[in-house]
Amino acid sequence: MILEIDSAEPLPTLELASGGPPPVGTPVLAIGHPTFAGTELPFTLTSGVVSCGDRRLGEVSYVQFDAPVHAGFSGGPLLDRAGRVLGIVAIHSARQPGIAFALPAADLRPLLDLVRAAPGEGREAEARHTVERWLDLLAGGRVLPAA
């Protein structure tokens, strides 16, 4: 979900990674808010590497990575070691730890451009459709079925 905050002060932001898919072996960090035994564990950080920079699942391209993620990481950032956003955590495997997928930053950039477009530019329907697509893909943190 995209959040708008009114602030008199500039707020810090994360930079989106540029370029193509990250190379295999790129170190990554995932940030999420999982729960354990009913206790929220905010700002949990896990690390791993990119397993495949452009993994196709159906018609969607993802960054595959092996950092351990669980329910509560979906929608959180997948970062490189410089703190740039490589993607948004979207899917993990409940039965096969070390298999997770993030929607790539390259797909996020057009969404942010649409959201930032000035009202009245006639792009509201396009922005709504794009946001709905992303929300469908994130779908509350899809979990791959047990293999």
Side-chain angles (χ1 to χ4, degrees):
M1 183 179 306
I2 295 179
L3 178 68
E4 182 177 342
I5 300 172
D6 289 327
S7 174
E9 304 281 328
L11 298 173
T13 59
L14 294 173
E15 177 186 346
L16 292 181
S18 59
V24 171
T26 299
V28 294
L29 304 166
I31 299 174
H33 298 273
T35 59
F36 177 75
T39 302
E40 290 187 20
L41 306 171
F43 301 107
T44 297
L45 178 74
T46 63
S47 65
V49 298
V50 170
S51 305
C52 180
D54 188 17
R55 175 72 67 201
R56 303 281 303 173
L57 298 177
E59 296 180 14
V60 180
S61 180
Y62 294 92
V63 175
Q64 181 182 341
F65 62 98
D66 71 353
V69 295
H70 314 281
F73 277 83
S74 297
L78 181 69
L79 308 170
D80 64 14
R81 295 288 173 148
R84 292 180 296 256
V85 177
L86 295 174
I88 301 297
V89 177
I91 306 172
H92 71 279
S93 174
R95 296 227 180 232
Q96 297 174 300
I99 298 178
F101 303 90
L103 294 163
D107 290 351
L108 180 58
R109 191 174 306 282
L111 172 63
L112 293 174
D113 290 344
L114 282 171
V115 171
R116 290 179 183 140
E121 289 186 9
R123 300 180 75 188
E124 290 84 1
E126 183 183 0
R128 184 172 39 256
H129 173 75
T130 304
V131 169
E132 288 170 357
R133 176 180 167 268
W134 267 74
L135 292 176
D136 286 345
L137 290 172
L138 290 172
R142 295 184 346 190
V143 178
L144 295 177

